[in-house]
Amino acid sequence: MRKMAEVNLVRMLREGDLRVPLLDIRLIEMEPRGGADAVLEVSWRGQSRRYVAELKRDAKPQTLKLAIEQAKRFAAKSGQGDPMVIAPYLSEEKLEQVLAAGVSGLDLCGNAAVEAPKQFLFWRTGNRNRYPDSAPIRSAYRGDSSLVARMLLLRPVFQKVGDIVDAIQERGGSLTMGTVSKVLQRLGSDLVIERFDGKAVRLIQPARLLDQLLDAYQPPKVEETWLGKVALDDAELMRRLEEVARDSGLIRSGDASASEYAVYAGEPVIACYCRETPAKVLKLLGADFRETLSFPNLRLMQTGDQRVYFDPRPRLAASPIQAWLEMAGGDKRQKESAVQIRRLLLNSIGTVA
């Protein structure tokens, strides 16, 4: 269910749809003098009390703090009742916060903390949140959600959201329509993209988008690593790895792929991410091997993180975006190469770094 809008709160109050078991809640006046949103009469066990209520469409920490201050100020100014905060959902912790501030609280899920000094104290919690927050996704630039940003850097204009979902899938990723829509909301609020008629999407700040991706980047979680020597020369080892990749999911790391996009001389080791265990990949290679730190030529890192497999390039190279993200957090030489890759990415969409 979508977050409750303020207008719906008002409508529910007017129509008597604000209900808490055992309490009798009656609307006395909307928008009374003093700046409050409403005056209510709340009754319990034959005793009644009037409250000057402040309505809020959510109860985020800062919003709730402001609501408490406003309710107290409006109640004192109007003199029509005690202060109260009403929101779509108030957890037990937030009801305790409200009550500790000398304010009563009600929500639309049947939870309440109502204090009538010298009369009664009513407390009811435990009802689930029927109005979960549908705000733009917070993790838009990290984890799987970052595939939306990566896709826009590869193709900056789309006619509809469904096209983004399809394009991500074509490049080896997978996201739901709902996740893509939420990420686009966040990118729009950050002024990274612009929308037309609620459908078309256009990237307008690619440099800023790259910066956001880098700030939020977290390396993939590696389950198992193998480092050693395979009895094949570099050319034959790469050919065998490409064959294995067709069946087992294999791609070079960003560091091992960087030389495809920039001047960079990395380790003389082919480093690869793999979906299968290193043991299975080594078996599929069909050559003698031994685990060793002495002159290795292959590193295998098992991970199911779909970001590293997204947008694969020839010769098992990782996407230039993945290469840039890995290199940008490395040593001096890697960072210098990352600058080149960043410029390449921006130039590819007509923007100079």
Side-chain angles (χ1 to χ4, degrees), residues 126-177:
N127 291 314
R128 68 178 181 84
N129 183 6
R130 301 203 305 269
Y131 305 97
D133 191 352
S134 60
I137 194 165
R138 294 180 180 179
S139 56
Y141 303 101
R142 68 174 183 268
D144 290 349
S145 297
S146 70
L147 295 187
V148 177
R150 296 186 189 210
M151 192 65 243
L152 288 168
L153 287 165
L154 299 169
R155 181 177 155 190
V157 179
F158 287 89
Q159 295 306 310
K160 57 182 185 294
V161 176
D163 292 343
I164 300 177
V165 176
D166 292 341
I168 288 173
Q169 187 170 5
E170 288 169 5
R171 294 187 184 243
S174 179
L175 288 179
T176 65
M177 181 81 76

Side-chain angles (χ1 to χ4, degrees), residues 224-264:
E224 185 179 349
T225 299
W226 183 90
L227 176 66
K229 178 75 173 179
V230 179
L232 297 169
D233 60 40
D234 289 349
E236 181 62 14
L237 176 57
M238 178 59 70
R239 188 185 71 79
R240 298 273 188 97
L241 287 169
E242 289 183 277
E243 289 179 353
V244 169
R246 297 169 192 160
D247 301 318
S248 62
L250 196 76
I251 196 165
R252 281 191 281 163
S253 68
D255 178 273
S257 304
S259 59
E260 303 287 338
Y261 312 112
V263 177
Y264 178 65

